[in-house]
Every structure is written in C-alpha cells, then in structure tokens.
Amino acid sequence: MQDTEEDIANISDKASAVRAGLAGRSIVLVGLMGAGKSSVGRRLAQALDMPFVDADQEIERAAGRSIPEIFAEFGEPHFRDGERRVIARILAEGQQVLATGGGAMMSAETRECVRERGVSVWLRASFDVLMKRVRRRSNRPLLQTDDPEAVMKALIEERYPVYAQSDITVESRNVPHMVVVSEIIDALACHLDGATSPQPTRTEES
Ligand code: S3P
C-alpha cells in the first residue's frame, strides 16, 4: 500500500509536540538488518520535518567504498571503528532522525553517545519478517554465508537484550511503513511526556 500525503498530514499535530519534547535530541532507530530502520526512518523524518541520516550511507561516503567492499578489504573491526566514529560525528551535528546499522549499538561507546544525545527506538521484528526482507538483497556481508538463518538467529540471541534497553520499542511487521511511523510518533509523545511507552501492538499482516 502507498503512503499518502494525507497520512503524513494526519500526524502533523502530534509531530510538533514530539519535536518540542525532543528539545534538540535526535531520534535514533536501532534493530537488526531488515527491521526497516532506513525506510521507516526516512518517512519518520519527513513526518516530523527533521533531517534524515543513514549511518551506513555516511560510512560508505566517508570510506569511498560500499559496506561489502569495506568488510572485504579491511575486515569487520575496521568497519566497526568507522561506524563508531561516524555515528558520534553525526550525533554531534544536531537534531535528526538517524538510522543506525544493526551492529552499531553493540558498542558501549555508541550506546553512551546515543543516551546523551538521542532517544532510541528499537524496531523489533520477528525472525520470519527479518529473513523475508533480507533475502531480497545481497548487500549484507554478515549474511553472505551458507546458513544466513543460523546467523540471524545468533544475532537475535546476542543483540535483542541490548536493543531492549532502548527508550522505546515498536514492532516492525508487514504493514505499510506509515503505520509503524505513526506508532513511533505515539510512543515518542508518550515517552517524552514522562509516561510509559505503549506496548507494541500487532495488526494483521498485509
Ligand atoms: C550490520 C548491519 C548493516 C551494516 C553492516 C553490518 C550488522 O546495516 O551496518 O552490514 O552488523 O548487523 P543494516 O542493519 O542497515 O542492514
């Protein structure tokens, strides 16, 4: 289903309240590969009238290489170094919606930086939803193995307890992106108001 101008207009009132509540902090989207951080983040930024930045794209720009090339030429530790530095730099540049790569929050330094300068939003998704989405593309070096399912399961085990420390959790699933955007805005409004964020809701898969 296409997102419409009307969808965006409908949430604009809450959007101004959220922007005010953020008081200059960024919104930082976290979650596994395939959770929809970039596609949801782009629409969230549009709805809130904030700049959108994709950390992976910034890392690629800084390195002058694609992520698969960085992994292949320099290895994962080099990528993680760049990721940590690029995210710290982006968060120091002012308020924005930032989509992080799936491994970014495994760095304690990055978690601290996000805590200081942002509100974190975990886009949680089931194994099935993640696998269905990541199968469409081959640009993720960690999944270029004989058994990407096993890798994804291991990453869920390892990372979900860390993502769970996020300020807000919203369930990413097969519904139009604007449904998830609107739930994030509701949860942010609640969180910034000092209340407990609502539990993630589930609706029919489309
Ligand atoms: C990674 C996720 C990727 C990218 C890199 C490593 C990870 O980003 O940063 O391939 O460790 O989970 P997405 O989560 O945007 O796919």
Side-chain angles (χ1 to χ4, degrees):
M1 199 208 278
Q2 284 286 307
D3 304 326
T4 65
E5 294 288 323
E6 199 185 339
D7 288 323
I8 293 167
N10 284 341
I11 50 180
S12 71
D13 287 348
K14 272 184 208 154
S16 346
V18 166
R19 263 198 317 274
L22 283 168
R25 284 172 295 172
S26 291
I27 298 171
V28 182
L29 297 174
V30 312
L32 266 185
M33 298 174 273
K37 301 176 297 280
S38 301
S39 27
V40 166
R42 197 165 285 114
R43 289 168 174 83
L44 179 66
Q46 190 184 356
L48 293 176
D49 196 19
M50 282 166 62
F52 172 74
V53 181
D54 185 300
D56 283 344
Q57 278 181 8
E58 290 299 309
I59 296 162
E60 289 183 325
R61 201 197 319 264
R65 291 171 169 79
S66 70
I67 287 176
E69 284 167 353
I70 301 171
F71 270 71
E73 283 183 47
F74 307 112
E76 183 174 350
H78 180 91
F79 170 78
R80 297 297 173 198
D81 268 5
E83 180 173 52
R84 208 170 43 245
R85 274 185 277 111
V86 163
I87 290 178
R89 194 236 316 140
I90 294 168
L91 286 173
E93 276 170 2
Q95 187 180 44
Q96 47 218 308
V97 175
L98 170 65
T100 59
M105 292 299 274
M106 301 312 286
S107 149
E109 198 180 313
T110 297
R111 288 199 296 279
E112 187 51 33
C113 194
V114 169
R115 230 186 323 270
E116 273 172 23
R117 298 182 184 263
V119 174
S120 48
V121 179
W122 175 21
L123 283 185
R124 184 171 67 189
S126 70
F127 171 80
D128 290 342
V129 165
L130 296 171
M131 284 314 300
K132 194 169 156 200
R133 293 187 185 153
V134 297
R135 271 194 206 103
R136 292 181 202 144
R137 298 180 68 188
S138 59
N139 61 340
R140 292 169 167 119
L142 295 184
L143 299 178
Q144 300 310 301
T145 78
D146 291 343
D147 195 354
E149 277 93 354
V151 172
M152 188 64 95
K153 279 185 186 145
L155 290 175
I156 287 175
E157 283 282 308
E158 183 193 347
R159 294 180 177 177
Y160 275 22
V162 175
Y163 298 150
Q165 296 165 23
S166 301
D167 296 310
I168 286 166
T169 298
V170 169
E171 192 78 15
S172 174
R173 55 211 192 271
N174 292 329
V175 293
H177 291 306
M178 284 312 289
V179 173
V180 179
V181 165
S182 157
E183 287 177 9
I184 294 175
I185 291 175
D186 284 346
L188 280 168
C190 217
H191 175 79
L192 296 168
D193 210 27
T196 318
S197 64
Q199 288 302 302
T201 50
R202 278 205 165 275
T203 55
E204 286 298 301
E205 301 222 334
S206 59

